[in-house]
Amino acid sequence: VEMIAFVVILFFLVRGIVQNFLIEGQSMEPNLHSGEFILVNKLSNLHFDLNAPRRLFDANVPADVVYPLGMPTYGQVVVFEYPNDPSKDYIKRVIGLPGDIIDIRDGLVYVNGKQLDEPFLQGAPTYCHQGDECASGTVEVPAGMLFVLGDNRENSSDSREWGGLPLDRVIGQAWVVYWPSANIGTITHYPLVPGQK
């Protein structure tokens, strides 16, 4: 009985820290491929609301969310619940943080007026399509949200199309590819450095 209890506790502990994820689609090509299985580090997104107890009695108390291990940042690849359908999980790269000004023009991405160096694109351009908010000019990332893009910019449903990603939808940071065996390895998170606000 003790062994069964230990295994059950260990299982739920591990599931609280790591989650597997199957990449479906080509939105992260050429860096991640459809059919790959990856592990997601959920601990990297650990956060809590310091005002949660007070909010039980007063819904008007503002949230005070802290990230003891740091919030998602530029260049990280994150897995998240798709904002328009939380039953679906997506994977994209973080391009903008709350308050950032995003400008996509002439095939390039600018954050706070500074062009991003994105070597993982291998020279592929980035465009906004007609009807996307970014097609009309600059976009400010709302408070509590991220601006995320797929690496395969011509074949990705991302923040250009559906807007900001709420931080509380982020499941965790993509960590390692574990299948197929030929692709085993850690996932590269390029440290993008945009201009200061």
Side-chain angles (χ1 to χ4, degrees), residues 68-140:
L69 301 178
M71 66 182 289
T73 191
Y74 304 107
Q76 287 184 349
V77 178
V78 294
V79 172
F80 56 92
E81 298 171 344
Y82 175 42
N84 293 341
D85 183 356
S87 69
K88 297 178 180 178
D89 293 342
Y90 276 24
I91 182 170
K92 307 291 175 193
R93 193 178 301 274
V94 176
I95 300 298
L97 302 182
D100 282 345
I101 303 298
I102 310 296
D103 187 12
I104 300 174
R105 55 185 160 84
D106 303 323
L108 302 171
V109 178
Y110 297 81
V111 178
N112 302 320
K114 184 175 181 181
Q115 178 189 331
L116 289 187
D117 179 21
E118 300 181 283
F120 49 87
L121 296 183
Q122 299 181 2
T126 303
Y127 297 107
C128 292
H129 300 104
Q130 187 174 2
D132 293 345
E133 182 182 4
C134 58
S136 302
T138 61
V139 174
E140 181 173 357

Side-chain angles (χ1 to χ4, degrees), residues 2-178:
E2 290 178 357
M3 179 59 105
I4 293 173
F6 174 75
V7 170
V8 169
I9 290 171
L10 185 61
F11 172 79
F12 283 107
L13 181 63
V14 170
R15 286 296 293 175
I17 297 174
V18 177
Q19 176 178 318
N20 63 328
F21 176 76
L22 169 63
I23 296 176
E24 298 179 279
Q26 301 171 339
S27 72
M28 291 300 289
E29 295 278 359
N31 304 299
L32 296 169
H33 311 285
S34 186
E36 287 182 333
F37 283 88
I38 68 170
L39 294 178
V40 178
N41 179 356
K42 296 171 70 173
L43 193 60
S44 67
N45 190 49
L46 176 68
H47 64 280
F48 51 89
D49 182 358
L50 295 176
N51 286 337
R54 294 174 56 199
R55 286 157 60 90
L56 292 174
F57 303 100
D58 184 357
N60 295 321
V61 174
D64 184 10
V65 180
V66 296
Y67 287 79
L69 301 178
M71 66 182 289
T73 191
Y74 304 107
Q76 287 184 349
V77 178
V78 294
V79 172
F80 56 92
E81 298 171 344
Y82 175 42
N84 293 341
D85 183 356
S87 69
K88 297 178 180 178
D89 293 342
Y90 276 24
I91 182 170
K92 307 291 175 193
R93 193 178 301 274
V94 176
I95 300 298
L97 302 182
D100 282 345
I101 303 298
I102 310 296
D103 187 12
I104 300 174
R105 55 185 160 84
D106 303 323
L108 302 171
V109 178
Y110 297 81
V111 178
N112 302 320
K114 184 175 181 181
Q115 178 189 331
L116 289 187
D117 179 21
E118 300 181 283
F120 49 87
L121 296 183
Q122 299 181 2
T126 303
Y127 297 107
C128 292
H129 300 104
Q130 187 174 2
D132 293 345
E133 182 182 4
C134 58
S136 302
T138 61
V139 174
E140 181 173 357
V141 184
M145 294 195 176
L146 301 171
F147 192 92
V148 295
L149 296 175
D151 290 352
N152 184 359
R153 300 288 163 82
E154 281 303 298
N155 188 17
S156 175
S157 173
D158 49 39
S159 288
R160 293 171 295 176
E161 177 185 333
W162 38 259
L165 166 64
L167 277 162
D168 60 7
R169 295 286 190 193
V170 177
I171 295 169
Q173 180 177 313
W175 179 29
V176 64
V177 176
Y178 70 89

